[in-house]
Amino acid sequence: MRSVYLNIGSNKGDRTANIEKAVRMLAEHPLFADTLIRRAPLVYNQPVGYVSDAEFVNLGLAIDFDVIPVAAKKDLKTASDNVIEAWDEEFALRVLNVTQDIEKHIAPDSPHRNPDGTYCDRIVDIDIIAIDGVRMNTSALTLPHPRAAARHFVMHPMAFLAPGWFPDSMVSERPHPKKSIVDMHRDTVDSFKAKKKLPVTVILDNIRSLNNVGSIFRTSDAFCVEHIALCGITASPPAPEIHKTALGAEDSVDWSHHDNTLEAIADLRARGYIITCLEQVHDSISLDDFHPDASARYALVVGNEVNGVDQRVVDAADICLEIPQAGTKHSLNVAVSTAIAVWSFFTSLNRV
């Protein structure tokens, strides 16, 4: 048996109805006659590569073939009577034509991109993620999908449809080329500021190193932190030493300066934030046991490189979090600790 893996997405109109119509048209197409179509659970996710308030619904599909359908044989140069012998580029492009025809039928006047090449909201979008035994890189189609591994809404269904599957397992043994800036589809500063943020404000309690401050800005940009509160002796942009490690993230991430950390905490608590403190205390919660509430907003306090978080600030926190460690050292660099904690919030709050 060989399989074709598809991912169908919609964030415009009746999303589930759009997806179901696409599934019906795939099932009824002669190319997919006598096949088994398996479905993964729906995934709900924010748009990737552009800013929109319209959430996507994505469905992963596996179309399992035991034999090449009659309709496919007519267009394939080489195929036996009852077994698949030529799952090559020719067949992959036939599948592509079918998916594109279905997209045009369901949404004839709904393009996937704006005139300037940027993504836009879509009634239906059908991507070919992989076809068993097919590796190709043409102007029309690349298989496996070149951005599959970076997209949770692709990998989550694939884990259900083909456990253990990963794009690298199906590509050639050649070294993997590095992504270019264009390949990464990174936000501009303006689009970053407009997009939905992680509901976490990072509070820097008297951080003395400007390089650490810059590194925390860069981490906060990477995981879409909503705000950084720079407190006490913590330096503020613009500063060459901050820029050296922030690499421009000081322009994308919102920040404010406060003379006193306790005042910053009091302001955030008054606005409904839960105050968490990253510090080693006797009643701390191990970070791997902490499960933030998706409906809440959090402040994460990190402390001075020598003295850690001030005891008065620790006393004012609602929750103390501690990073579990297994080595000989008792602590981590504050920028590293912040990155680990923010990553934990990011993965927990974005989990399906």
Side-chain angles (χ1 to χ4, degrees):
M1 182 181 73
R2 300 287 182 88
S3 300
V4 173
Y5 298 98
L6 305 177
N7 192 280
I8 308 174
S10 175
N11 77 327
K12 188 176 181 180
D14 189 331
R15 300 170 299 171
T16 54
N18 299 336
I19 290 172
E20 291 303 325
K21 186 172 183 179
V23 174
R24 287 196 302 272
M25 293 184 70
L26 287 165
E28 293 168 0
H29 196 282
L31 183 65
F32 301 128
D34 302 318
T35 62
L36 172 66
I37 297 182
R38 295 180 288 119
R39 304 164 63 121
L42 293 174
V43 176
Y44 297 82
N45 59 280
Q46 295 299 314
V48 173
Y50 75 109
V51 177
S52 173
D53 293 331
E55 185 181 50
F56 267 93
V57 177
N58 283 84
L59 172 69
L61 288 182
I63 304 176
D64 301 328
F65 289 78
D66 287 324
V67 298
I68 296 181
V70 172
K73 292 179 186 177
K74 294 178 181 178
D75 296 322
L76 287 173
K77 297 174 183 176
T78 57
S80 68
D81 290 334
N82 58 3
V83 295
I84 296 171
E85 293 180 348
W87 280 55
D88 56 7
E89 292 185 9
E90 188 180 355
F91 179 79
L93 293 175
R94 181 82 166 95
V95 175
L96 178 64
N97 288 336
V98 171
T99 60
Q100 290 178 338
D101 287 346
I102 291 174
E103 289 177 342
K104 292 175 184 176
H105 180 86
I106 296 175
D109 300 314
S110 179
H112 292 184
R113 293 179 182 267
N114 296 308
D116 63 0
T118 57
Y119 287 113
C120 57
D121 293 341
R122 279 148 277 177
I123 292 175
V124 66
D125 185 6
I126 308 174
D127 284 335
I128 305 173
I129 304 305
I131 299 177
D132 285 341
V134 177
R135 302 183 182 96
M136 61 185 292
N137 186 0
T138 69
S139 59
L141 182 64
T142 298
L143 292 176
H145 194 292
R147 292 181 292 280
R151 294 178 172 177
H152 173 74
F153 62 87
V154 171
M155 296 305 294
H156 188 77
M158 288 300 291
F160 182 89
L161 299 168
W165 182 86
F166 192 79
D168 285 352
S169 66
M170 298 187 65
V171 299
S172 69
E173 290 72 26
R174 292 177 298 172
H176 303 301
K178 290 185 177 180
K179 292 180 181 178
S180 68
I181 296 298
V182 174
D183 292 331
M184 295 180 188
H185 301 286
R186 294 301 192 226
D187 287 305
T188 64
V189 170
D190 288 340
S191 64
F192 176 89
K193 287 183 175 296
K195 75 191 300 184
K196 183 179 180 181
K197 301 296 192 302
L198 189 71
V200 174
T201 288
V202 177
I203 300 176
L204 277 56
D205 179 35
N206 292 292
I207 304 299
R208 64 179 185 177
S209 166
L210 277 68
N211 287 334
N212 281 335
V213 173
S215 181
I216 292 170
F217 264 99
R218 190 171 173 183
T219 292
S220 298
D221 174 278
F223 301 120
C224 238
V225 164
E226 65 177 6
H227 193 84
I228 298 177
L230 308 167
C231 300
I233 66 169
T234 307
S236 303
E241 294 89 344
I242 292 177
H243 181 74
K244 182 178 180 180
T245 48
L247 298 179
E250 69 273 31
D251 298 323
S252 59
V253 180
D254 289 338
W255 60 271
S256 57
H257 188 272
H258 308 264
D259 292 334
N260 185 285
T261 305
L262 290 172
E263 292 176 0
I265 289 175
D267 175 65
L268 288 166
R269 177 174 280 115
R271 290 191 278 141
Y273 282 72
I274 297 172
I275 310 302
T276 65
C277 174
L278 193 61
E279 188 56 272
Q280 297 164 322
V281 301
H282 288 292
D283 59 349
S284 65
I285 298 174
S286 180
L287 190 61
D288 55 351
D289 291 329
F290 177 62
H291 305 290
D293 181 352
S295 64
R297 305 182 80 84
Y298 291 89
L300 173 68
V301 185
V302 297
N304 179 269
E305 292 88 340
V306 176
N307 300 316
V309 179
D310 186 277
Q311 184 63 54
R312 293 169 298 173
V313 175
V314 173
D315 294 340
D318 300 308
I319 300 169
C320 287
L321 301 173
E322 184 171 342
I323 299 171
Q325 299 175 49
T328 62
K329 302 302 179 184
H330 71 278
S331 65
L332 294 165
N333 170 270
V334 64
V336 174
S337 297
T338 304
I340 293 171
V342 170
W343 167 247
S344 179
F345 274 99
F346 181 82
T347 54
S348 295
L349 295 174
N350 283 288
R351 185 172 293 124
V352 175

